[in-house]
């Protein structure tokens, strides 16, 4: 039986945690705090005192700086393409209305 129902950040999302040596095991440069909710409202300390074996493993997943920059560039190009398509459609519509 697993009484833990949710694990989440305490206040705000953790956001970005930058580490050297992406893809390797490293010490996290700050201490992310998290909230653990249980079905009975107990704390983790209370569960352990009651004999429940508690083991938490926090695994942070992310992407390299190069992938982040590439993703940002792709999003910028997509926005530009969408704006150009909208402008072209507006011009064609305007031309069609003028010709009618």
């Amino acid at each position: 039986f697993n009484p833990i129902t949710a694990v989440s950040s305490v206040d705000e999302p953790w956001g970005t945690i930058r580490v050297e040596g992406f893809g390797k095991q490293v010490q996290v440069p700050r201490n992310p705090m998290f909230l653990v909710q249980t079905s009975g409202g107990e704390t983790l300390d209370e569960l352990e005192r009651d004999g429940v074996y508690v083991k938490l493993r926090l695994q942070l997943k992310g992407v390299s700086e190069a992938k982040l920059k590439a993703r940002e560039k792709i999003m910028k190009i997509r926005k530009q393409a969408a704006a150009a398509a909208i402008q072209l459609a507006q011009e064609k519509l305007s031309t069609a209305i003028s010709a009618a």
Side-chain angles (χ1 to χ4, degrees), residues 3-45:
I4 295 175
T5 58
V7 177
S8 58
S9 58
V10 174
D11 292 319
E12 298 178 16
W14 295 320
T16 301
I17 298 177
R18 298 187 186 279
V19 294
E20 295 296 323
F22 182 79
K24 300 175 186 170
Q25 286 191 354
V26 295
Q27 292 290 328
V28 175
R30 64 180 189 178
N31 296 323
M33 296 183 65
F34 52 95
L35 174 65
V36 176
Q37 294 176 336
T38 62
S39 56
E42 304 94 342
T43 66
L44 292 179
D45 288 334

